């Protein structure tokens, strides 16, 4: 499994974990284009926080290094890493390249 | 009280500043009542107990705290109760307070409880149960001369607690502040005795706090029955 697939798997797992807590009518569709934080997003702010924490925790455990998705760098970007699953994956791959070059 | 021995069986409590003073007192109390205890402190552990795990961590360093929690994800696996007790105190007139001492108080007394609480909440959200108890101080209310930064940190700690109570309420995590009066500890020895005695004499209950006074309030906040009590600051000794 390449690193992108690995990261996608972690994000999907976080979204599945979120869905387990949501009612049937609030289920989030899971895929590479799933909107996370945009006008089209199905997630409310608390749900997004929940996903971010799950993803951060999983990344930290997997790569054995503290990885923060919400530092100043993320917030300063013209295109938010949290727009959708794809932008989040790209951003995580950038961070991982710093702590553990592929 | 015998029927309450063992009330924390199955719970894991994290106590900061667990090597001495109030923190050690609270850690030993949880252990005696059946909890597993994780102690965070800069210095080596002073408690020997099979259910005690000591983590040496500089609480003034947010990254060090996060690394310590990384370790807990691998070892302890859960944190149910947090007591943010660690604090540093430099009492000095504002005009001659060393900036470094002021910064250290902000880091340990305010920022560390924030980081510890938020990292612990990540455990608690999984179990949908948690108790965060922040140790405040009568200084926040009495505002003694020389304690501008310390008192501000402790007042800020109550506010921080109350906001976290709102954020964590949906996870069945309560957040409260226990504002203690003076108790005979190493920290107290850093203050002029006559100043302390004067403050104590002015309290509605004019005596030092006893360990049982503090532990009673800790048990109250940590209790299963206190699930509807959050965002509160409880002052001991009649301070308000």
């Amino acid at each position: 499994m390449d690193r992108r697939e690995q990261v996608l798997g972690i994000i999907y797992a976080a979204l599945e974990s979120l869905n387990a807590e949501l009612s049937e009518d609030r289920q989030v569709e899971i895929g590479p284009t799933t909107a996370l934080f945009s006008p089209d997003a199905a997630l409310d702010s608390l749900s997004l926080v929940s996903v971010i924490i799950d993803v951060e925790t999983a990344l930290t455990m997997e790569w054995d290094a503290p990885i923060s998705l919400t530092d100043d760098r993320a917030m300063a970007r013209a295109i938010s890493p949290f727009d959708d699953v794809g932008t989040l994956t790209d951003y995580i791959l950038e961070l991982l390249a710093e702590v553990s070059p592929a | 009280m015998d029927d309450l021995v063992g009330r924390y069986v199955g719970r894991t409590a994290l106590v900061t500043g667990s090597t001495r003073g109030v923190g050690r007192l609270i850690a030993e109390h949880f252990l005696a009542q059946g909890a597993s205890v994780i102690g965070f402190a800069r210095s080596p552990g002073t408690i020997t107990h099979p259910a005690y795990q000591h983590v040496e961590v500089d609480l003034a360093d947010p990254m060090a705290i996060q690394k310590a929690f990384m370790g807990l994800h691998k070892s302890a696996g859960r944190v149910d109760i947090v007591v943010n007790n660690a604090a540093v105190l430099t009492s000095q007139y504002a005009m001659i307070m060393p900036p470094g001492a002021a910064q250290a108080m902000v880091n340990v007394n305010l920022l560390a409880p924030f980081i510890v609480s938020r990292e612990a909440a990540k455990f608690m959200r999984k179990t949908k149960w948690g108790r965060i108890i922040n140790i405040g101080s009568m200084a926040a209310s009495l505002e003694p001369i020389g304690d501008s930064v310390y008192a501000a940190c402790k007042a800020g700690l109550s506010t921080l607690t109350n906001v976290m109570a709102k954020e964590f309420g949906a996870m069945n995590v309560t957040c409260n502040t226990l504002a203690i009066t003076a108790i005979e500890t190493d920290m107290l020895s850093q203050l002029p005795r006559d100043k302390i005695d004067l403050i104590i004499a002015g309290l509605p209950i004019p005596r030092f706090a006893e360990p049982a006074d503090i532990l009673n309030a800790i048990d109250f906040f940590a209790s299963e029955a206190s699930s509807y009590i959050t965002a509160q600051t409880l002052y001991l000794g009649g301070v308000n």
Side-chain angles (χ1 to χ4, degrees):
Chain A
M1 187 188 299
D2 71 14
R3 190 172 272 194
R4 174 171 285 277
E5 284 178 26
Q6 206 174 350
V7 170
L8 270 174
I10 286 172
I11 298 171
Y12 289 171
L15 289 168
E16 283 163 8
S17 177
L18 173 68
N19 273 342
E21 296 184 5
L22 296 177
S23 58
E24 279 294 320
D25 60 329
R26 294 185 59 211
Q27 292 289 299
V28 176
E29 197 178 308
I30 299 176
T33 58
T34 299
L36 297 174
F37 187 65
S38 69
D40 303 330
L43 284 71
D44 61 21
S45 55
L46 263 183
S47 296
L48 179 60
V49 168
S50 176
V51 169
I52 289 170
I53 292 169
D54 277 347
V55 171
E56 275 185 349
T57 304
L59 291 170
T60 297
M61 298 300 289
E62 184 68 31
W63 273 271
D64 205 25
I67 293 170
S68 171
L69 301 180
T70 53
D71 60 12
D72 294 341
R73 222 172 9 157
M75 302 304 175
R77 296 203 156 199
I79 297 173
S80 166
F82 305 108
D83 273 1
D84 59 35
V85 168
T87 56
L88 182 58
T89 304
D90 291 341
Y91 183 59
I92 290 170
L93 289 170
E94 276 184 46
L95 296 179
L96 291 178
E98 292 170 13
V99 298
S100 168
Chain B
M1 291 288 283
D2 283 348
D3 60 328
L4 295 177
V5 170
R7 77 183 88 184
Y8 298 120
V9 170
R11 297 288 186 205
T12 298
L14 190 159
V15 181
T16 68
S18 58
T19 56
R20 58 185 181 167
V22 173
R24 180 170 179 169
L25 179 76
I26 293 168
E28 289 179 331
H29 175 68
F30 280 129
L31 288 166
Q33 303 276 340
S36 297
V37 175
I38 301 156
F40 274 13
R42 192 171 44 186
S43 50
T46 54
I47 297 173
T48 305
H49 190 287
Y52 180 75
Q53 177 189 350
H54 190 75
V55 181
E56 279 185 45
V57 53
D58 179 3
L59 289 160
D61 179 357
M63 187 56 79
I65 297 172
Q66 288 183 281
K67 283 186 177 166
F69 270 93
M70 268 178 64
L72 293 187
H73 277 285
K74 294 172 186 167
S75 61
R78 65 183 299 156
V79 175
D80 304 298
I81 302 167
V82 167
V83 180
N84 280 304
N85 158 78
V88 292
L89 166 62
T90 300
S91 188
Q92 190 56 268
Y93 285 103
M95 286 189 287
I96 56 172
M97 171 73 79
Q103 186 67 61
M105 283 190 276
V106 172
N107 288 351
V108 176
N109 302 353
L110 192 58
L111 187 57
F114 169 72
I115 301 290
V116 169
S117 298
R118 75 172 209 158
E119 294 303 317
K122 293 174 186 176
F123 283 94
M124 294 169 177
R125 62 187 276 272
K126 293 294 181 190
T127 54
K128 296 271 189 291
W129 196 95
R131 300 283 185 266
I132 294 174
I133 304 166
N134 292 326
I135 301 299
S137 166
M138 63 178 177
S141 172
L142 302 179
E143 301 170 348
I145 285 173
D147 290 348
S148 53
V149 176
Y150 182 79
C153 286
K154 291 299 188 179
L157 186 59
S158 284
T159 302
L160 183 154
T161 306
N162 296 348
V163 176
M164 284 191 159
K166 290 180 182 173
E167 293 190 16
F168 302 162
M171 305 187 301
N172 195 26
V173 174
T174 66
C175 306
N176 293 289
T177 304
L178 172 58
I180 63 175
T181 49
I183 183 170
E184 297 282 1
T185 62
D186 298 346
M187 184 180 280
L188 193 65
S189 65
Q190 296 169 31
L191 297 170
R193 190 66 190 202
D194 55 343
K195 178 183 168 185
I196 290 293
D197 287 343
L198 195 62
I199 290 171
I200 294 294
L203 296 179
I205 302 174
R207 66 166 174 81
F208 284 83
E210 298 289 339
D213 299 319
I214 293 170
L215 298 177
N216 175 50
I218 291 286
D219 286 337
F220 170 68
F221 282 136
S223 162
E224 190 73 46
S226 293
S227 62
Y228 201 51
I229 295 166
T230 195
Q232 302 301 308
T233 298
L234 174 61
Y235 283 97
L236 296 182
V239 179
N240 59 34

